[in-house]
Amino acid sequence: MSHMRSAPDISNAAKAPLEGLRVIDLTQVVVGPYATQFLADFGAEVIKIEHPTGDLARWIGGKSTTPGMAAKYLHLNRNKKSIALDLKKPGAAEALKKLIATADVVIHNMRPSAAARLGLSAQNLLELKPDLIYCSVVGFGQGGRYKDKPAYDSIIQGASGLAAINNGGDGEPRFVPMVIADRTVGIMVANTILMAVVQRLRHGGPQIIEVPMFESMTAFVLAEHLFLKTFDPPLGETGDSRLLNPNSRPIRTADGYICVTANTDEQVFAMFDAMGRSDLRTDPRFAEKRARFENIGEMFRIRNEIFVSRTTAQWLEILEAADVPAMPLHTLDSVLEDPHLAETGLFQPIDHPTEGKIINLRNPVQFSSYEPSLKWPAPLIGQHSVELLRSVGVSDGEIEAMLESGATVNHCSAA
């Protein structure tokens, strides 16, 4: 990977939009940590609560230089502090309650029954902080029969219909090969928490939030694919026929693949001209939007047959001159060498205190007054345990007893 931009120095922390917001993060794996990393990137103090054995994502993301520091974990937990607590051992639950009493937001992705057993229900925690924002990320909404079922990304992909439409044209359902449900719902969680913060600023608190993954992801999928069954009586079947057409895919060229989308009349006609098929402009199947939609499979077929006649680079040059949206098809490896991403600094080489040189994926959002930056990399298990326990009045003697019993651990960074 070449021409990467180094992580910038932090000089604008005072302008961070979420400065002063304290978030107690009891989530693990992806959906919750993805949400809270957005908050941390924009200045929130996110305190990651994990068992002394660590977040599961530490261990299921492939090899790492240091045990428990897998790549996936690193990309979900920057700018956070970690305190390790075994809530079943003396002193840990009391310490957590002290931390929660100082918090603005608490988020967890436990099943509600498990949270209640640990004394972490909304009712329990509002006694500690009456204006608390309490966010529960659940697999299934608590008003339905699935409310007590466990869930992971693949479960939600299958249940929401996403895996069924991702069938590769051969009819066999497939999971999207990334945790797309966790990450999509994670963005929803971050947005929901921010709305609750705004509401509390304007109208006071508390606020109790439930974000159900099944309902959220089903709505996400069906907003695209409920399609003609939106109407009562239905005007046809579910599924956007344009998106589900087998020819709606990256287009083979003479030496690879290219991605092209032409939606407006101007773009479609420019594409026809670039293809050497200006006659298609007046073909009644393609001359206007509604007709193109009804005949989209045929238009894709003609396009795909023509594009194999030139190289990807040739088509990119032709289509750019015609102002038709197009990009080469990247692989996971080739996208690392994309010159635009090098220029915008998406890939930041940093020196991690335990993992050595790693690539940080910077938050690409830009504010006019603030640039989300790397304050510190993802922490070791319990890296900030002693610091945080002291901050809420736990004595050194009590901390020592907790360390000896395994109620907490304090894995210090080498930095």
Side-chain angles (χ1 to χ4, degrees), residues 54-266:
D55 185 335
L56 181 62
R58 292 177 177 274
W59 307 104
I60 61 173
K63 296 179 181 179
S64 58
T65 303
T66 303
M69 297 296 281
K72 185 171 290 189
Y73 167 80
L74 295 177
H75 293 306
L76 289 167
N77 290 283
R78 64 172 174 255
N79 294 333
K80 302 178 186 180
K81 296 178 179 179
S82 168
I83 177 172
L85 294 172
D86 183 342
L87 298 180
K88 297 179 180 179
K89 292 189 175 179
E94 291 77 7
L96 177 57
K97 290 178 181 179
K98 290 180 179 180
L99 281 166
I100 290 171
T102 71
D104 299 289
V105 179
V106 169
I107 175 174
H108 73 80
N109 60 347
M110 294 176 272
R111 281 181 275 182
S113 57
R117 287 195 298 272
L118 292 169
L120 298 174
S121 69
Q123 291 70 27
N124 295 143
L125 300 192
L126 289 175
E127 293 177 3
L128 302 173
K129 187 72 184 298
D131 64 348
L132 185 69
I133 295 169
Y134 178 96
C135 182
S136 173
V137 185
V138 295
F140 303 90
Q142 295 303 288
R145 65 184 64 194
Y146 302 154
K147 65 180 182 178
D148 295 321
K149 291 175 71 69
Y152 283 106
D153 177 272
S154 56
I155 303 301
I156 301 302
Q157 283 199 44
S160 67
L162 180 58
I165 61 173
N166 186 42
N167 59 31
D170 61 6
E172 286 293 319
R174 291 177 173 85
F175 297 129
V176 176
M178 62 177 293
V179 285
I180 191 71
D182 275 356
R183 291 179 184 274
T184 301
V185 177
I187 294 171
M188 297 177 185
V189 170
N191 288 338
T192 301
I193 289 173
L194 291 174
M195 285 187 282
V197 169
V198 172
Q199 184 185 49
R200 193 177 77 167
L201 288 171
R202 291 181 173 177
H203 308 296
Q207 189 59 251
I208 301 171
I209 302 166
E210 176 186 287
V211 183
M213 292 185 66
F214 179 41
E215 288 87 338
S216 298
M217 201 63 190
T218 300
F220 181 80
V221 172
L222 290 184
E224 201 82 59
H225 289 292
L226 186 55
F227 207 53
L228 299 182
K229 284 194 175 180
T230 297
F231 303 96
D232 188 11
L235 301 180
E237 298 303 316
T238 54
D240 184 328
S241 54
R242 178 178 62 94
L243 297 177
L244 295 177
N245 188 281
N247 281 317
S248 177
R249 52 182 168 81
I251 307 163
R252 184 181 292 277
T253 65
D255 64 347
Y257 291 88
I258 190 171
C259 303
V260 180
T261 294
N263 286 329
T264 67
D265 286 342
E266 293 80 3

Side-chain angles (χ1 to χ4, degrees), residues 331-344:
T331 66
L332 296 178
D333 290 311
S334 68
V335 74
L336 297 175
E337 304 297 334
D338 186 284
H340 173 88
L341 297 180
E343 291 162 0
T344 59

Side-chain angles (χ1 to χ4, degrees), residues 296-354:
I296 197 68
E298 182 64 8
M299 190 181 87
F300 286 161
R301 183 191 65 78
I302 294 170
R303 178 200 64 182
N304 292 3
E305 288 179 355
I306 291 173
F307 266 71
V308 77
S309 65
R310 297 178 187 267
T311 67
T312 299
Q314 288 171 328
W315 280 118
L316 287 172
E317 183 178 359
I318 292 168
L319 294 170
E320 183 172 358
D323 200 28
V324 175
M327 280 291 285
L329 176 74
H330 272 312
T331 66
L332 296 178
D333 290 311
S334 68
V335 74
L336 297 175
E337 304 297 334
D338 186 284
H340 173 88
L341 297 180
E343 291 162 0
T344 59
L346 180 65
F347 309 121
Q348 294 178 331
I350 65 169
D351 291 315
H352 191 283
T354 61

